[in-house]
Amino acid sequence: MLSTAEIHEIEEAIKVVPVKKAACIEALKVVQAHRRWISDESLKDVAEYMKMTAEELDSVATFYNMLFRKPVGRHIILVCDSVSCWVMGYDKLRDQLIQKLGIKYGQTTPDDRFTLLPNCCLGTCDTAPAMMIDDDLYKNVRIDQLDDILKKYS
Amino acid sequence: MEKPLTHHIRDDKRPLDLKEYEKVGGYEALRKVMKGMSPKAVQDLVKESNLRGRGGAGFATGLKWSFVPMDVPGPKYLIANADEMEPGTFKDRILLESTPHQLIEGMILSAYAIQADHSFVFLRWAYKTAAQAITQALREAYEAGYLGKNILGSGYNLEMHLHTGVGRYMCGEETALLNSLEGKRATPRAKPPFPQISGLFGKPTIVNNVETLCNIPHIVNKGSDWFRTLSRTTDTGTKIYGVSGKVKKPGAWELPLGVTMRELIEEYAGGMQDGVKFRGALPGGASTDFLVEEHLDVKMDYTHVAQAGSRLGTGTLIILDDKTCPVGFVQNMEHFFAQESCGFCTPCREGLPWVDKILASLDLGEGREEDLKLLDFHTKYLGPGNTFCALAPGAMEPLQSALKYFRKDFEQHVHDHRCPWKENGHR
């Protein structure tokens, strides 16, 4: 069931477009913002609300990198793996994160704290290597800074 | 040296609010146009300025606008493509984060020129600071009467909304962007009809890059003759260039179109880091052909970079140095393209993962003699005319030029059964 708050936000998005269905990505974003990820159950609820079939909506949901159809942790770590960060040795950063968190790309720590994901160019190539945790961008990341950075996220 | 797009940006990069933007001449162009310039006059001015699209393709902006039918009733759309995701590109971020009102003013003027009544900023999800800046700026612009009904008493109406994407490289392609805005998978559309005739929700639509749109207020204020004096070549205006890779001072700078690659690297980026040498560069993002040492003095504009066998693209250089393996460098990008292919057309969906796998096997020392021929084959069969959109042909540009300029390195991977760079403790 969609919550009152979710329905209110979805309605705001529908106002902006001439066709209700056009707001379906916004609707999925709303649900994800409230529930962290989009379960089959949530997907069906959104589809019903948007007057779409679940299959049609899932074809949209699974297309986009930042719509999560599997459970994720409280914080999402996105490591930029595009070419400038590759040249500047992002792999050391990636390996350290894998080691420190004890998880691989696509996995979530057992305490539900972090999900680790690779990510395409974050658009800050002059300060490579870069990563994002939730809404925070980290530039010129050094391995010796990782502990202090991770500490900020409980 | 004039820097119309960035001279007013604060040292600390915080966005200029409405009052601050007005203090540096902001919204004067809008007042001028609303006081008595016809849409056609704005279009003509931009045509005369010879402004070309700064998103990568370099299409003439005024010409693009002129394809919009002006006499049909019903809604029209103007969209700012702010989905900056071309690997190695970080130029629009600066404009979006630090001077959001400049973009909004450029969008209002451009929307007026084609008589659009709705506009969207299609912003990349990762640009969180920019999203805040634009949200705030939109609120201020509405309050000041620059957006909404009867703008500055002119009778012209325009609504503007921010749409943040959910992550897919394809959204940068204008017709795929339109599908995404319609709540669909971001697959490209067949052209014709072009978006200018049938775009968002089937209505006439213009999609322009952020940097392109930011030029419009300045062209309106100072004229097309002034704009033509900004560059060093026949391609007009300034360009936000960038340099990333192993240089001393990576960064981005607004400079006259036509500065050379050597100037960018040596004067602005501080030269190569100690201990590494320049081997080549992609002049404008991942989907452009390598330029090498012999091209260092090529003028970085649309015309001269094309003559040198590449494209200006986004104007943000990615440097390949001698301690970095060209095969690994290209593999990183082909892996990206393979992942970001929308899977809509077969050559791209099947060909790019194949290319990625071949390059990965070369990198692991498992490459075979015939692999280079297979790579050559793909550069032709994934090239222009064989795929539905420009993603795969773009992906082939760094590969075909790497096979041309660094072929010996590819061959060495095959013959030595290993990556010579890794062996030496480099990339």
Side-chain angles (χ1 to χ4, degrees):
Chain A
M1 276 256 298
L2 297 174
S3 71
T4 321
E6 285 168 332
I7 288 173
H8 173 75
E9 287 169 41
I10 292 170
E11 282 299 323
E12 287 297 305
I14 292 172
K15 276 186 204 159
V16 174
V17 283
V19 186
K20 187 174 182 177
K21 220 159 84 170
C24 75
I25 293 175
E26 288 301 313
L28 291 170
K29 278 161 67 180
V30 166
V31 168
Q32 181 165 293
H34 283 269
R35 310 174 188 199
R36 272 198 244 162
W37 67 292
I38 301 154
S39 66
D40 289 350
E41 212 46 48
S42 312
L43 185 98
K44 281 177 196 156
D45 289 340
V46 175
E48 195 184 344
Y49 194 82
M50 301 306 287
K51 303 262 187 291
M52 297 167 76
T53 66
E55 290 76 12
E56 189 183 6
L57 186 64
D58 204 19
S59 80
V60 175
T62 53
F63 187 84
Y64 293 98
N65 301 333
M66 296 307 290
L67 292 176
F68 303 130
R69 285 286 279 119
K70 287 181 185 167
V72 292
R74 292 192 294 282
H75 306 288
I76 313 268
I77 305 178
L78 299 161
V79 183
C80 180
D81 64 3
S82 281
V83 62
S84 303
C85 284
W86 180 84
V87 169
M88 302 311 284
Y90 92 96
D91 46 341
K92 294 188 189 83
L93 176 65
R94 173 200 62 197
D95 293 348
Q96 274 292 313
L97 282 165
I98 287 171
Q99 200 192 334
K100 275 185 196 302
L101 302 173
I103 50 171
K104 293 180 190 154
Y105 271 158
Q107 296 182 337
T108 301
T109 53
D111 61 359
D112 228 20
R113 189 167 156 220
F114 290 114
T115 297
L116 184 64
L117 295 171
N119 199 79
C120 305
C121 186
L122 287 171
T124 185
C125 318
D126 54 340
T127 56
M131 66 173 189
M132 277 179 86
I133 303 183
D134 302 338
D135 287 357
D136 308 324
L137 176 66
Y138 293 93
K139 306 172 180 183
N140 291 316
V141 188
R142 293 195 321 267
I143 286 161
D144 61 17
Q145 297 170 322
L146 277 180
D147 283 336
D148 285 337
I149 292 173
L150 294 177
K151 241 187 263 167
K152 294 183 203 165
Y153 303 89
S154 54
Chain B
M1 189 162 50
E2 284 187 87
K3 302 184 177 193
L5 305 182
T6 58
H7 75 96
H8 57 281
I9 288 180
R10 261 194 263 263
D11 290 340
D12 65 6
K13 310 282 189 278
R14 273 191 306 114
L16 268 65
D17 67 21
L18 181 71
K19 284 219 168 67
E20 291 164 329
Y21 180 64
E22 284 175 331
K23 235 178 250 169
V24 295
Y27 291 107
E28 272 170 25
L30 183 66
R31 287 177 196 285
K32 184 173 169 182
V33 166
M34 292 300 138
K35 242 181 225 156
M37 255 178 100
S38 70
K40 173 86 170 40
V42 179
Q43 280 195 24
D44 288 345
L45 183 68
V46 172
K47 255 191 204 167
E48 284 159 23
S49 77
N50 200 21
L51 171 67
R52 294 175 65 170
R54 305 298 198 226
F59 196 81
T61 306
L63 186 63
K64 192 180 201 179
W65 292 358
S66 72
F67 299 139
V68 173
M70 298 298 281
D71 45 3
V72 294
K76 290 194 204 107
Y77 294 96
L78 183 282
I79 294 157
N81 186 344
D83 196 48
E84 185 165 71
M85 198 173 163
E86 179 73 21
T89 302
F90 52 101
K91 64 175 187 74
D92 292 336
R93 181 194 274 275
I94 299 164
L95 298 169
L96 292 161
E97 289 183 351
S98 300
T99 175
H101 277 290
Q102 180 174 249
L103 172 66
I104 292 170
E105 187 181 14
M107 287 178 70
I108 304 169
L109 294 166
S110 307
Y112 176 79
I114 59 160
Q115 289 292 287
D117 42 18
H118 281 82
S119 52
F120 289 95
V121 180
F122 192 104
L123 180 70
R124 178 144 189 233
W125 64 270
Y127 285 10
K128 308 285 184 187
T129 310
Q132 281 177 2
I134 292 165
T135 304
Q136 165 80 12
L138 281 175
R139 193 162 44 231
E140 290 172 339
Y142 267 105
E143 278 166 15
Y146 297 146
L147 280 170
K149 298 259 178 280
N150 192 20
I151 295 171
L152 297 175
S154 66
Y156 175 61
N157 310 323
L158 179 68
E159 301 296 331
M160 192 178 289
H161 293 99
L162 171 65
H163 173 92
T164 50
V166 269
R168 210 54 209 261
Y169 177 64
M170 271 312 299
C171 294
E173 200 275 346
E174 64 177 7
T175 62
L177 182 153
L178 298 177
N179 276 342
S180 191
L181 262 182
E182 290 183 11
K184 300 172 184 161
R185 293 164 76 93
T187 51
R189 295 178 180 178
K191 291 187 274 192
F194 286 88
Q196 292 95 319
I197 310 293
S198 176
L200 190 62
F201 303 110
K203 302 296 176 192
T205 303
I206 286 289
V207 183
N208 282 141
N209 167 261
V210 169
E211 186 183 353
T212 310
L213 290 162
C214 287
N215 274 293
I216 306 298
H218 306 289
I219 293 171
V220 167
N221 273 330
K222 295 182 180 165
S224 55
D225 287 340
W226 163 83
F227 192 72
R228 298 171 85 96
T229 64
L230 292 175
S231 70
R232 292 195 200 160
T233 66
T234 48
D235 292 340
T236 55
T238 62
K239 179 79 194 73
I240 302 183
Y241 293 100
V243 180
S244 67
K246 288 185 187 160
V247 291
K248 286 193 179 122
K249 291 185 294 180
W253 312 273
E254 185 185 7
L255 298 167
L257 258 170
V259 297
T260 65
M261 191 154 72
R262 190 189 299 279
E263 283 176 274
L264 281 173
I265 297 169
E266 289 175 8
E267 284 179 35
Y268 294 96
M272 298 299 292
Q273 287 182 5
D274 294 334
V276 298
K277 285 196 190 108
F278 174 88
R279 272 202 90 193
L282 302 175
S287 44
T288 55
D289 283 272
F290 277 98
L291 295 179
V292 292
E293 207 163 357
E294 66 187 82
H295 302 119
L296 277 170
D297 293 311
V298 166
K299 291 185 172 76
M300 292 282 291
D301 67 6
Y302 300 95
T303 311
H304 290 88
V305 177
Q307 279 167 3
S310 186
R311 291 187 304 117
L312 178 65
T314 58
T316 40
L317 291 169
I318 314 165
I319 308 284
L320 171 70
D321 62 87
D322 66 338
K323 297 279 160 53
T324 300
C325 174
V327 176
F329 189 96
V330 173
Q331 195 236 327
N332 174 281
M333 290 182 290
E334 298 307 330
H335 182 71
F336 162 81
F337 287 118
Q339 277 192 322
E340 290 300 323
S341 166
C342 72
F344 181 70
C345 79
T346 312
C348 181
R349 181 185 63 237
E350 303 296 325
L352 288 174
W354 195 357
V355 166
D356 178 25
K357 279 182 193 160
I358 294 172
L359 291 167
S361 71
L362 285 174
D363 186 52
L364 289 171
E366 292 164 5
R368 301 161 307 169
E369 205 72 54
E370 57 267 36
D371 284 343
L372 298 197
K373 278 189 198 127
L374 268 175
L375 291 175
D376 288 332
F377 166 89
H378 278 94
T379 61
K380 299 199 172 51
Y381 285 86
L382 294 184
N386 294 321
T387 59
F388 200 82
C389 82
L391 185 141
M396 291 302 100
E397 290 179 24
L399 178 62
Q400 69 192 11
S401 48
L403 286 165
K404 178 178 166 190
Y405 295 119
F406 313 121
R407 194 158 193 105
K408 283 210 173 77
D409 299 304
F410 282 78
E411 288 167 352
Q412 202 185 345
H413 280 72
V414 175
H415 297 149
D416 295 358
H417 302 292
R418 61 177 63 84
C419 169
W421 275 267
K422 273 194 199 132
E423 202 176 28
N424 295 322
H426 302 305
R427 297 233 38 127

